[in-house]
Amino acid sequence: MTQTSTKPNNTQCLVAGGVAGIAVDTALFPLDTIKTRLQAKAGFMASGGFRGIYSGLSSAIIGSSPGAAMFFLTYEQVKAACEQRVAPEYQSFAYMAAASAGEIAACLVRVPTEVLKQRLQANHHRSLGAAIRGTYAAEGLLGFYRGYLTQVVREIPFTCIQFPVYEYLKHSYAMKHGRVIKSWEAAVCGSVAGGAAAAFTTPLDVVKTRVMLSTKGVGAHHEYSGVVSTLTRIAREEGVRALFSGVIPRTIWISVGGFVFLGSYEKAKEFLVEGKIFAH
């Protein structure tokens, strides 16, 4: 695997995760905007088309670093605890548990910025300040957590596919070549795992987008309020095909994102551990 001789401490996990979050969100933001607009009820062109594809970037950057840092801190801690208690043949379940715990923790930070980002991407507001004021005026503080459960429900199946596959590919590659896997090789593993998970979980991503774009009491969107009800409504009104809206840019985005995100994390972690930075 990509681990160095010494396991990272909590601070190193936080810093490496923060670096990875900023790297992936900044590099791949245009694809995320296109995906969001394809999934919006109003349609791609009505939501902005190819105009202003960096709308919402400020919100994404604000949330990406602490969200990713929270994920990896939780993931590494839970994984280490589970690996000591779970037999080797059941390690995949340890990775599922660790990744799920990481996502639940990360969503506490990620969801408010995701709500603002997607409303800016879909041209619901013209600036970050307007998005904050509009969301608070319409729904109060809870408005910033609109879609939290939907996000968690989407992320857990995704992460339960991505991280066991990621860890398996890293382990298999390291065993085959008889050496510690390099950061760029881990990035390739992350790309494959992320792309597969993205394709399978696209319907849940469509649901998450519709719920987050909703504003209580404003327009037709206010009816999107739950995972099952939103899934069935989209399928009934727009057809099952609509549940896979944006599947191609989402799969490309997360495949490339897996490469950048996990590669950056592994490289930053390696740099911090070997350089004994924040080692205390």
Side-chain angles (χ1 to χ4, degrees):
M1 297 184 186
T2 319
Q3 73 266 38
T4 53
S5 57
T6 304
K7 288 186 177 295
N9 60 33
N10 290 350
T11 304
Q12 290 167 333
C13 289
L14 281 168
V15 173
V19 169
I22 291 175
V24 70
D25 280 354
T26 302
L28 302 176
F29 194 81
L31 273 175
D32 184 41
T33 300
I34 292 170
K35 183 267 300 181
T36 296
R37 292 175 179 178
L38 284 168
Q39 293 176 347
K41 173 70 173 176
F44 179 69
M45 295 308 297
S47 297
F50 291 101
R51 301 186 308 276
I53 57 175
Y54 279 96
S55 296
L57 178 60
S58 57
S59 174
I61 291 176
I62 290 170
S64 61
S65 182
M70 184 68 74
F71 172 83
F72 279 114
L73 173 63
T74 307
Y75 177 75
E76 294 286 3
Q77 294 299 313
V78 176
K79 184 178 80 167
C82 289
E83 283 179 333
Q84 297 173 3
R85 296 171 173 81
V86 178
E89 60 268 29
Y90 299 114
Q91 287 299 309
S92 292
F93 294 104
Y95 302 141
M96 288 182 185
S100 298
E103 288 295 351
I104 290 171
C107 282
L108 292 171
V109 177
R110 188 183 299 150
V111 168
T113 57
E114 186 78 1
V115 168
L116 297 172
K117 181 198 74 173
Q118 292 202 324
R119 291 181 179 183
L120 287 166
Q121 287 175 325
N123 284 335
H124 287 195
H125 303 281
R126 298 186 64 84
S127 68
L128 177 59
I132 293 172
R133 290 190 298 271
T135 299
Y136 182 77
E139 304 173 81
L141 289 176
L142 289 180
F144 296 101
Y145 281 92
R146 171 169 280 277
Y148 174 80
L149 291 178
T150 307
Q151 174 102 345
V152 170
V153 168
R154 182 201 69 165
E155 295 295 353
I156 287 180
F158 176 88
T159 205
C160 283
I161 297 171
Q162 182 187 32
F163 276 86
V165 173
Y166 173 60
E167 297 285 0
Y168 171 78
L169 291 174
K170 286 199 303 176
H171 177 75
S172 298
Y173 191 91
M175 293 295 290
K176 180 179 179 179
H177 293 274
R179 60 171 173 78
V180 174
I181 189 171
K182 297 177 182 178
S183 298
W184 73 266
E185 294 167 334
V188 173
C189 295
S191 178
V192 173
F200 280 113
T201 58
T202 295
L204 291 174
D205 187 56
V206 173
V207 169
K208 186 268 301 184
T209 297
R210 295 291 180 89
V211 172
M212 284 189 169
L213 289 179
S214 301
T215 302
K216 187 176 180 180
V218 178
H221 290 300
H222 73 279
E223 296 178 20
Y224 293 119
S225 59
V227 177
V228 176
S229 63
T230 302
L231 273 171
T232 54
R233 179 183 168 188
I234 293 171
R236 182 179 67 252
E237 295 181 358
E238 304 170 55
V240 174
R241 186 175 179 179
L243 292 171
F244 287 89
S245 299
V247 64
I248 294 176
R250 171 173 161 79
T251 301
I252 294 172
W253 167 55
I254 294 181
S255 293
V256 179
F259 185 95
V260 176
F261 185 58
L262 293 169
S264 298
Y265 174 70
E266 296 289 1
K267 188 64 179 178
K269 185 173 67 173
E270 178 185 304
F271 175 78
L272 293 169
V273 172
E274 289 185 353
K276 297 182 178 179
I277 302 170
F278 298 118
H280 58 267

